[in-house]
Amino acid sequence: MNAFRTHTEEVYSLFLYPIKSRGKWSKKEPFRPAEPLPGNPLIVVLTRATLKMRYYIPFWKRVGAVSRSLEEAPGLIFTKGVRERPWIMQATFSVWKSLNEMVAFAHQKDGKHYEAITTTRRLKGFKEELYARFQPVESRGSWQGSGPVGKALRQL
């Protein structure tokens, strides 16, 4: 981490409490979920998928539309996509004001996200997938000059 910090202008860290997880990351279940903490409605979602080679292009054709729809989603505080291995392994990280707002986006029957995920599953395009939920409990540092999740935490 120290080597990483020498090449950065900012570091932003969120400390998370796992509340739900299904699936695997590199064939392992990395999180041990517990009961949600009371008084904190904020939800962090981490998704991670490894795609089958035959499904790279069909999957990536959908990513732009999903990203654009996410930018306008009510209740979204912060989001970032991470390509662990470009084209093959995709991870997304998002922070929401509430579970209801996250579910409204992710499971909206006519939404781009729902269509992309259900199509990929139907066509068996995932080699592996993980879906985990957390509650943010602390925020340190800055992202583009601010701490977007820290502000929401302070308002609780």
Side-chain angles (χ1 to χ4, degrees):
M1 188 65 183
N2 287 335
F4 173 77
R5 287 175 197 244
T6 63
H7 300 287
T8 63
E9 292 180 22
E10 292 181 296
V11 174
Y12 187 56
S13 300
L14 286 177
F15 296 82
L16 307 174
Y17 179 80
I19 58 173
K20 185 175 183 177
S21 180
R22 70 174 157 77
K24 295 186 178 183
W25 187 315
S26 297
K27 301 179 185 174
K28 295 184 172 127
E29 294 177 16
F31 306 110
R32 291 193 178 149
E35 289 297 315
L37 300 169
N40 183 351
L42 303 177
I43 294 291
V44 174
V45 177
L46 172 68
T47 63
R48 195 249 195 188
T50 302
L51 299 169
K52 291 179 180 176
M53 188 167 46
R54 66 174 171 74
Y55 204 72
Y56 295 171
I57 293 172
F59 179 85
W60 284 101
K61 283 183 177 180
R62 291 181 170 83
V63 168
V66 173
S67 294
R68 286 187 296 279
S69 70
L70 180 60
E71 290 170 7
E72 299 173 7
L76 180 68
I77 296 172
F78 177 84
T79 187
K80 188 68 181 159
V82 181
R83 292 181 183 103
E84 185 178 344
R85 288 181 59 199
W87 291 95
I88 301 167
M89 294 177 179
Q90 165 77 16
T92 61
F93 182 88
S94 57
V95 184
W96 299 83
K97 291 180 183 175
S98 72
L99 177 63
N100 289 341
E101 289 167 305
M102 182 278 294
V103 169
F105 170 78
H107 300 284
Q108 180 182 355
K109 299 286 189 218
D110 61 346
K112 297 294 184 187
H113 178 268
Y114 182 84
E115 186 269 330
I117 298 304
T118 56
T119 300
T120 305
R121 285 183 181 146
R122 182 175 44 81
L123 297 175
K124 297 180 176 33
F126 291 124
K127 186 174 184 178
E128 179 179 70
E129 63 180 308
L130 171 77
Y131 173 81
R133 289 182 194 168
F134 306 83
Q135 286 176 298
V137 293
E138 186 180 346
S139 169
R140 290 185 194 162
S142 65
W143 179 273
Q144 297 179 347
S146 69
V149 181
K151 180 179 177 183
L153 281 168
R154 287 188 298 278
Q155 293 175 349
L156 296 179

